[in-house]
Amino acid sequence: DAGITQSPRYKITETGRQVTLMCHQTWSHSYMFWYRQDLGHGLRLIYYSAAADITDKGEVPDGYVVSRSKTENFPLTLESATRSQTSVYFCASSQAGRRTEAFFGQGTRLTVV
Amino acid sequence: AQKITQTQPGMFVQEKEAVTLDCTYDTSDPSYGLFWYKQPSSGEMIFLIYQGSYDQQNATEGRYSLNFQKARKSANLVISASQLGDSAMYFCAMREQLYTGANSKLTFGKGITLSVRP
């Protein structure tokens, strides 16, 4: 399917476990982003990537790891999940340059118990 | 420091009336872009409108227009003739360094909830 897809859509995990959220886009967009959405905080940037093998921290990177070995994939790993990481996670992608609106995945609702 | 500020916690508007959603931003970069997104209760993020810092005219997209006041660093979204389907959360976002090719992150505000009354 064309577009940007996230998996899984819903995930429940236990404190201390490692969990990976997947993000795949078919547009060959150079930029990809990970956000978390929490009530009262809007969307906060966790990590972003300008191209394969180029990643950079956003506003709230602690406890998260990303990689981007291929342009189309941008997985987000929680190395040791904590309850404070319970959130809705959005992946997005965009082209570089002007008028660079981002296109979002459907979101992953993660619950850490 | 907060880059994007959306201070209206919740807005109400009567169907068919116009409504303005406020957004102020903070940047020292001359080349930036401002975006508005809509998030209905179903959760998806929908792009609405874009304004570039060098654009001469305010952006318009159908019933959406952007009141861009560069000197005041504000980029308010105007929705004309509100519809019930406009009830949603609205986010303002900014992207800096649009023309330099540098790493360009997209930063969002906290959002504004709009409720349209029949």
Side-chain angles (χ1 to χ4, degrees):
Chain A
D1 291 334
I4 181 165
T5 54
Q6 293 182 233
S7 61
R9 292 293 311 278
Y10 303 92
K11 176 75 177 178
I12 300 174
T13 191
E14 293 178 340
T15 302
R17 289 195 179 266
Q18 183 181 82
V19 60
T20 296
L21 309 183
M22 304 301 291
C23 181
H24 175 78
Q25 53 107 353
T26 61
W27 294 302
S28 298
H29 284 168
S30 56
Y31 277 90
M32 294 188 77
F33 307 86
W34 273 108
Y35 295 90
R36 59 177 291 175
Q37 184 175 19
D38 305 288
L39 201 62
H41 291 279
L43 275 80
R44 291 183 290 176
L45 182 64
I46 305 170
Y47 271 95
Y48 66 109
S49 168
D53 297 323
I54 300 175
T55 61
D56 210 344
K57 294 178 181 179
E59 188 183 347
V60 289
D62 293 344
Y64 303 95
V65 175
V66 293
S67 62
R68 194 160 177 216
S69 57
K70 293 184 178 182
T71 300
E72 61 266 29
N73 296 325
F74 192 38
L76 176 74
T77 298
L78 288 67
E79 294 186 296
S80 177
T82 65
R83 288 188 180 143
S84 64
Q85 293 177 310
T86 292
S87 187
V88 178
Y89 290 85
F90 283 98
C91 178
S93 71
S94 79
Q95 296 175 329
R98 294 185 59 208
R99 173 80 196 221
T100 52
E101 72 262 33
F103 297 86
F104 281 77
Q106 323 95 299
T108 295
R109 184 173 294 275
L110 176 69
T111 302
V112 183
V113 297
Chain B
Q2 205 165 9
K3 291 273 190 177
I4 297 287
T5 302
Q6 297 180 262
T7 56
Q8 300 160 306
M11 291 285 288
F12 294 88
V13 65
Q14 204 67 31
E15 194 177 8
K16 298 181 185 177
E17 291 185 349
V19 63
T20 298
L21 306 181
D22 295 342
C23 173
T24 58
Y25 60 92
D26 181 27
T27 182
S28 57
D29 188 345
S31 62
Y32 55 90
L34 297 155
F35 305 81
W36 277 91
Y37 283 82
K38 171 184 178 181
Q39 186 180 42
S41 57
S42 51
E44 71 266 34
M45 294 289 289
I46 302 167
F47 166 72
L48 295 178
I49 195 166
Y50 163 83
Q51 179 81 48
S53 59
Y54 293 128
D55 292 346
Q56 296 297 314
Q57 293 186 328
N58 287 351
T60 60
E61 291 283 350
R63 293 187 299 111
Y64 304 109
S65 60
L66 213 150
N67 183 2
F68 181 47
Q69 297 187 44
K70 198 170 180 177
R72 293 187 178 183
K73 293 188 176 178
S74 74
N76 299 338
L77 177 70
V78 181
I79 304 174
S80 63
S82 297
Q83 301 172 355
L84 295 178
D86 294 334
S87 293
M89 179 83 83
Y90 289 81
F91 291 96
C92 180
M94 178 174 66
R95 195 158 191 181
E96 298 165 285
Q97 299 175 316
L98 282 187
Y99 300 94
T100 62
N103 262 3
S104 175
K105 57 187 176 183
L106 182 62
T107 305
F108 283 78
K110 294 186 177 182
I112 302 167
T113 301
L114 175 67
S115 299
V116 180
R117 292 172 168 152

